[in-house]
Amino acid sequence: MSDSQTSGSAIAIVGMAGRFPGARDTTELWQSLLEGRESVRDFDDDELSAAGVPADRANADGYVRRGADLADADLFDARFFDVTQRDAKLMDPQQRIFLTCAWRAMEDAGIAPGPDHGPVGVFAGTSMSTYLLSNVLRSEEFADAALTYPVLLGNDKDFLATRVSYKLNLSGPGLSVQTACSSSLTAVHLACVALERGDITAALAGGVSITVPQTSGYRYQQGGILSPDGHCRPFDADAAGTVKGNGCGVVVLKRLDDALAHGDRIYAVIRGTAVNNDGSEKIGFTAPGPAGQQSVIRAALESSGLDASGIGYIEAHGTGTAVGDPLELMSLTTAYRAAGGPAPDCRIGSVKANLGHLDAAAGVTGLIKTALVLHHQTVPPQINFERLSPHADPTLPFSVATEATPCQDEPLAAAAVSSFGLGGTNVHCVLQAAPAPTVPAAEKAGAHPVVLSARDDDALRTTATELLHHLADDATAPAVRDLAYTLFTGRARMAVTHVFEAACLDEVRAGLRAVASGTAVSQGRPPAAWTGSPGRKVSLPGHPLNEQSHWIQPDLRLPEPGRDSIPQSPAAGRPAPAPLPVGAGRADSAQVLSRVLAVLEQHLDMTDVAPGDDFYELGGDSMLAVEVTTCLRDEFDVDLGYDEFTELHTAQQMAERLCALLAGESGSDGLVTVREGAGRTLFLVHPAGGTNFIYTGLAAHSRSAVPLTALSFPSDVNAAPTSLRALAALYLERIRSRQPEGPYRLGGYSFGGNVAYEMALQLQAAGEEVETLLMFDSYPPETYVGRHLSDEEFAEAFPLLLDAVGEDGLDARELREKGFYQVWKHNYDLLKGHYPDQRFQGDLVLLRAEEADSTVRLDTSLRMNLVDKSVWQWHVSGRLNVSKVLGDHFSMFAEGEPIRTLAAAFDEAVADFDRADARGAGQEEAPTC
């Protein structure tokens, strides 16, 4: 058995518990899902004020006053769990609630805590303790107590699982599992592995996430992951981001054979799990990795031993982001189709639309929902969904149920769950419907011992009262043997115990009424062991908890950690810049630079950032760039886009660009006419080397009359855009200065085709028409996913590239000094850092080299994944029209037969353009024979 996946043995989910927005337990959660409720809600002025949000910030443009809060997060029964009042107050509510839910899950499973059932493991994940940051360390009493043991023990992630093991007397491993959003489903995977190995007899697995204060809302940042309107819309065309939710989920797991032998109630059976990490095979640390997602899905399917065609429901990670959801759908489609599935009309959903994103508790919440789908044989409606995202493949083998869908006519045999963590740890879990329960041996006439146990007399009376309510209806009440068996084997023995015998429900009710009224007389001590044939474990009310508020109120006068606006004063040690002049033309560059440096120092938490220091070399990344862009946009009141910011590496470059924006300046032209003509121009983007001489050779052999214009790479590579999207935007500015309106014709060779594709997406997003997109042997985006080459590694590969393009006689060192090397390396980095966030709505023509690239090994020399170029079909809604031409990727433009063949294929591809242009000019088309 590998570390990455289970062996396929069956693991039963025998218990579950949780606390969720708008739902106190899993029963209420299921009812909420069936009714299609959205538990993300608006926060009023009083709630925001109590959370410490100033009125001016709460009412500012872009501030979203919504979230999914967890009711009564301050409540905890400290006495029941033997926790002192001081420690309960210091303890992170995440740890308190997880401990409570662990207890409730054990009760639901009918497993009494303690050593009698063998070693029970605890596998759990939690989010950062914002209670520590926002409350404990901002209180007058504990502001200086960050390193004291009571504070650390109550708030550090390390003690989440081990506290449960200690308080419930569980002797299996207690492991805190931290893989960001996938933590809790990773915990489930590890629990399954431990069960299969025989290390434990049962496991508690899950996660918790509560961000304090819960009712603070958030500030929307363009380019970030949070929704601009506070609604999460998985898979939908209007999906624009996720929403933070708060909650906790725990499941109890046992080997299926053991669960059947013990008469456990089984919600569903886990047949296979897998976990992996993207590694560097993606755009950046926080980006999704399609290759890793597909790999983990395939591994889980293989380990399950189930036929993928039987999987009829998939609970997706589904965060509601415009980029992440289509990529996940692509990964699911690719992996399941390769395995022969999924089932016809397979449904797909995401609970994040209802509850928000529960971070460390997200995976287990999806698992609980999926287990209940199988248990109740009903797929709940997916809310906040109207039409599929246009970036998703419309031929998906999945459908989204917008109404509750019972599965009685065609029982749902299997389902699956995905959870993908920020940072790249992916988990997929395959479940099967629970087997039909075995018929227990015939119940012999006679009474069964009914054992009630509680912490004290009041709790015992409450226990009896709640059981009476539970047994009020004969139609839903369990058999007496099952009731007695569950209470006997599945409940802990506490300080106060009462026993009576009953042979029928009426006798049970009579005994419970006597206990509830305080008039009962115990009939002796419980037997040492259950005698007779075992019954089935059934759902019964748990021990009553007397929860009270344990909370440290912060001093709101102290600084708030993680405030989402930049400070009004610059970083320490730098004098405050004078106000910018209003209406004075171009802003003072020194003042702008000073303010930019202050913003960078604040977000990088550094001092003495120099104007020429590279933002990314100082530790900046894409997530931090979103924050800095937002701050600069607000600070200077300019329309600075996120993509535009990515090309600005230094404070000096940022200041110069801001000054230009403040002055209303724009860029320059960079277009080269390759062939003139009377029709619409076909704009061709240069390949990675930055030169356009190849198009001159093409035009010389082409008989088409389509006008050709090439786009030149910026003359200063150091000032060139540092993202492919930004380069595409720059080239579109140039094109639209000559041709303000569409339809547009775009194309390019190799790297140029990838840029042209991105240009087409941006034009379509702007409402412009793009005619057929033309590529000369461009590689699909999947080719470039993965780690970049270092400067040294690229330097080693560079001579091989020169040899491949037929320039082996040139001196590589001389070309490096002249900048040719820098341009090629720059554009290679752009490809490695880019993945499209949309699909092109139209056709794509690919002139494909028929020979394999033999001169240079692109996969090993340049770290490229040589996927088949037919993968481009994934990225277009229309047809992928492929025409093969002579040569390989590098020789297809070579003089002689290759360029003549290429020109002929090109002419055929643009023949419709020629005819359209001729009609537009009033010319007669030449007759054809």
Side-chain angles (χ1 to χ4, degrees):
M1 179 180 64
S2 70
D3 292 336
S4 64
Q5 64 187 59
T6 67
S7 64
S9 60
I11 304 297
I13 301 175
V14 297
M16 58 176 63
R19 295 273 302 280
F20 311 96
R24 292 173 297 180
D25 53 35
T26 57
T27 301
E28 289 190 1
L29 171 66
W30 178 247
Q31 189 60 37
S32 175
L33 294 177
L34 283 181
E35 295 172 1
R37 281 190 243 143
E38 182 178 21
S39 296
V40 183
R41 66 180 185 89
D42 294 326
F43 301 138
D44 60 32
D45 291 342
D46 291 340
E47 289 174 310
L48 290 165
S49 177
V53 182
D56 59 342
R57 182 148 52 114
N59 296 319
D61 290 342
Y63 201 85
V64 183
R65 302 158 59 111
R66 284 176 63 80
D69 58 318
L70 187 67
D72 301 330
D74 60 319
L75 302 184
F76 179 61
D77 192 338
R79 180 172 174 268
F80 180 80
F81 290 107
D82 292 321
V83 176
T84 68
Q85 295 296 306
R86 186 202 65 165
D87 287 349
K89 186 169 61 173
L90 280 173
M91 193 184 300
D92 185 347
Q94 296 182 118
Q95 305 226 11
R96 296 188 229 139
I97 287 176
F98 186 81
L99 174 60
T100 303
C101 287
W103 171 269
R104 290 299 193 203
M106 293 285 279
E107 288 184 320
D108 188 58
I111 300 177
D116 293 346
H117 295 275
V120 176
V122 182
F123 304 82
T126 183
S127 298
M128 175 189 295
S129 178
T130 51
Y131 180 71
L132 171 66
L133 300 176
S134 298
N135 290 52
V136 177
L137 299 183
R138 291 183 72 199
S139 67
E140 182 177 352
E141 183 179 359
F142 297 104
D144 298 321
L147 297 180
T148 63
Y149 270 114
V151 172
L152 289 177
L153 291 174
N155 291 273
D156 196 282
K157 294 179 177 181
D158 287 356
F159 308 112
L160 176 72
T162 51
R163 173 175 281 106
V164 173
S165 297
Y166 173 70
K167 290 297 181 181
L168 304 191
N169 191 18
L170 308 177
S171 60
L175 304 180
S176 291
V177 181
Q178 300 305 143
T179 61
C181 332
S182 61
S183 295
S184 55
L185 205 59
T186 302
V188 170
H189 165 81
L190 294 175
C192 290
V193 171
L195 283 163
E196 290 173 357
R197 287 167 53 93
D199 296 340
I200 53 178
T201 58
L204 284 161
V208 60
S209 179
I210 302 172
T211 300
V212 176
Q214 293 191 80
T215 59
S216 60
Y218 58 90
R219 185 183 184 190
Y220 170 68
Q221 292 180 322
Q222 185 180 8
I225 64 171
L226 295 176
S227 166
D229 63 358
H231 294 279
C232 181
R233 299 180 174 88
F235 325 122
D236 191 69
D238 293 328
T242 195
V243 182
K244 177 70 178 76
N246 300 274
C248 176
V250 185
V251 293
V252 181
L253 308 176
K254 294 174 72 172
R255 288 180 289 272
L256 178 61
D257 290 345
D258 292 342
L260 293 172
H262 299 155
D264 294 329
R265 181 187 62 243
I266 300 171
Y267 290 100
V269 178
I270 298 175
R271 292 301 305 269
T273 67
V275 62
N276 70 0
N277 192 279
D278 297 326
S280 61
E281 299 301 308
K282 56 183 178 178
I283 296 172
F285 177 67
T286 59
Q293 293 176 8
Q294 294 174 34
S295 176
V296 81
I297 294 167
R298 289 194 301 267
L301 286 169
E302 182 179 352
S303 74
S304 73
L306 299 181
D307 190 335
S309 63
I311 294 177
Y313 176 75
I314 297 176
E315 175 70 13
H317 186 60
T319 57
T321 57
V323 177
D325 284 5
L327 288 179
E328 180 181 3
L329 291 174
M330 180 187 74
S331 297
L332 285 166
T333 299
T334 301
Y336 271 86
R337 279 179 171 162
D345 199 26
C346 177
R347 304 302 203 281
I348 192 167
S350 172
V351 74
K352 293 178 180 65
N354 306 85
L355 308 179
H357 193 335
L358 300 192
D359 192 54
V364 72
T365 303
L367 178 70
I368 288 172
K369 174 188 171 182
T370 307
L372 292 174
V373 166
L374 289 168
H375 183 66
H376 294 288
Q377 287 291 298
T378 300
V379 177
Q382 181 65 40
I383 66 170
N384 296 343
F385 179 87
E386 293 184 4
R387 63 192 188 283
L388 186 67
S389 167
H391 311 320
D393 184 351
T395 66
L396 289 172
F398 311 110
S399 62
V400 179
T402 55
E403 296 181 355
T405 308
C407 305
Q408 279 79 6
D409 293 339
E410 295 184 15
L412 188 59
V417 188
S418 288
S419 189
F420 304 139
L422 200 69
T425 296
N426 309 302
V427 193
H428 195 67
C429 181
V430 178
L431 292 83
Q432 190 176 36
T438 57
V439 178
E443 184 175 356
K444 295 180 181 179
H448 299 283
V450 178
V451 181
L452 305 179
S453 191
R455 183 71 181 256
D456 52 37
D457 289 332
D458 287 342
L460 187 73
R461 288 192 290 271
T462 303
T463 297
T465 300
E466 292 182 353
L467 276 171
L468 272 171
H469 289 311
H470 187 73
L471 302 176
D473 187 351
D474 283 346
T476 59
V480 173
R481 178 174 57 173
D482 296 340
L483 167 78
Y485 179 72
T486 302
L487 291 172
F488 191 96
T489 63
R491 293 292 186 267
R493 298 289 189 269
M494 301 187 197
V496 178
T497 300
H498 180 85
V499 183
F500 65 90
E501 291 195 342
C504 64
L505 280 175
D506 285 341
E507 291 182 1
V508 172
R509 294 181 181 118
L512 292 175
R513 280 192 290 269
V515 175
S517 64
T519 60
V521 177
S522 182
Q523 299 177 5
R525 302 180 62 182
W530 177 264
T531 58
S533 59
R536 295 174 180 164
K537 290 180 182 175
V538 292
S539 178
L540 297 175
H543 189 280
L545 298 179
N546 182 22
E547 296 184 317
Q548 299 178 353
S549 179
H550 299 276
W551 203 254
I552 295 174
Q553 291 294 343
D555 184 346
L556 298 180
R557 296 170 298 177
L558 296 176
E560 177 187 356
R563 181 171 175 173
D564 58 8
S565 60
I566 65 170
Q568 296 304 307
S569 59
R574 182 177 299 280
L580 289 172
V582 179
R586 191 174 181 90
D588 183 276
S589 59
Q591 294 180 38
V592 174
L593 178 59
S594 180
R595 292 194 179 188
V596 170
L597 289 168
V599 170
L600 293 180
E601 289 180 349
Q602 150 68 13
H603 284 82
L604 292 167
D605 192 20
M606 299 177 67
T607 57
D608 299 326
V609 173
D613 288 345
D614 189 292
F615 169 74
Y616 299 96
E617 291 181 359
L618 292 175
D621 57 20
S622 59
M623 298 294 283
L624 191 59
V626 171
E627 298 180 17
V628 173
T629 305
T630 302
C631 286
L632 292 177
R633 185 189 302 118
D634 294 345
E635 174 81 358
F636 294 97
D637 192 23
V638 295
D639 188 17
L640 177 67
Y642 168 66
D643 285 335
E644 184 178 10
F645 175 83
T646 59
E647 66 180 280
L648 308 172
H649 277 222
T650 68
Q652 186 67 52
Q653 292 173 342
M654 297 173 195
E656 290 174 357
R657 182 57 184 150
L658 288 167
C659 286
L661 289 171
L662 289 167
E665 297 181 8
S666 60
S668 60
D669 194 357
L671 303 174
V672 176
T673 299
V674 177
R675 180 171 65 194
E676 294 182 346
R680 286 193 178 272
T681 300
L682 172 59
F683 294 95
L684 297 173
V685 183
H686 57 81
T691 59
N692 289 303
F693 66 88
I694 55 168
Y695 298 134
T696 303
L698 175 69
H701 292 277
S702 167
R703 296 184 179 182
S704 167
V706 173
L708 301 178
T709 294
L711 290 118
S712 300
F713 187 76
S715 58
D716 183 2
V717 65
N718 295 317
T722 54
S723 76
L724 194 143
R725 285 193 179 92
L727 184 67
L730 172 64
Y731 290 173
L732 283 179
E733 288 181 13
R734 297 177 179 177
I735 290 175
R736 299 186 82 171
S737 68
R738 292 197 183 180
Q739 183 185 323
E741 298 178 350
Y744 291 93
R745 298 170 178 174
L746 303 174
Y749 166 48
S750 190
F751 166 81
N754 296 81
V755 179
Y757 179 86
E758 175 60 31
M759 293 164 66
L761 297 184
Q762 294 184 22
L763 284 170
Q764 288 189 338
E768 294 286 357
E769 179 186 351
V770 179
E771 293 190 69
T772 301
L773 190 59
L774 178 64
M775 294 184 182
F776 298 87
D777 208 51
S778 299
Y779 290 94
E782 287 76 11
T783 306
Y784 303 102
V785 173
R787 185 173 73 84
H788 295 229
L789 290 179
S790 66
D791 288 340
E792 294 76 14
E793 291 170 327
F794 192 84
E796 291 182 7
F798 188 56
L800 299 176
L801 285 172
L802 295 179
D803 181 57
V805 298
E807 301 293 351
D808 52 310
L810 298 177
D811 185 86
R813 181 175 300 177
E814 180 182 351
L815 287 174
R816 291 187 64 178
E817 293 174 353
K818 289 183 177 180
F820 185 61
Y821 166 87
Q822 285 85 352
V823 171
W824 207 321
K825 175 63 165 62
H826 177 276
N827 292 335
Y828 164 81
D829 286 340
L830 295 194
L831 285 171
K832 293 291 283 184
H834 177 75
Y835 195 90
D837 60 358
Q838 303 176 48
R839 300 174 78 227
F840 176 62
Q841 303 301 308
D843 298 339
L844 187 155
V845 174
L846 178 66
L847 304 183
R848 176 177 179 176
E850 66 178 4
E851 297 178 14
D853 307 321
S854 57
T855 309
V856 57
R857 288 295 306 277
L858 296 176
D859 53 349
T860 56
S861 300
L862 294 179
R863 293 190 183 276
M864 292 165 60
N865 314 306
L866 295 184
V867 300
D868 193 276
K869 295 187 180 74
S870 62
V871 172
W872 273 116
Q873 182 64 70
W874 275 102
H875 298 277
V876 296
S877 65
R879 293 176 299 171
L880 174 64
N881 301 310
V882 180
S883 295
K884 291 186 178 181
V885 297
L886 295 180
D888 61 24
H889 184 75
F890 298 99
S891 65
M892 59 190 292
F893 281 87
E895 280 300 321
E897 194 62 22
I899 189 64
R900 288 193 293 270
T901 304
L902 178 62
F906 170 78
D907 289 347
E908 182 178 353
V910 299
D912 288 342
F913 296 168
D914 281 324
R915 286 189 285 269
D917 292 341
R919 287 194 298 270
Q923 300 174 9
E924 293 293 332
E925 293 186 32
T928 58
C929 299

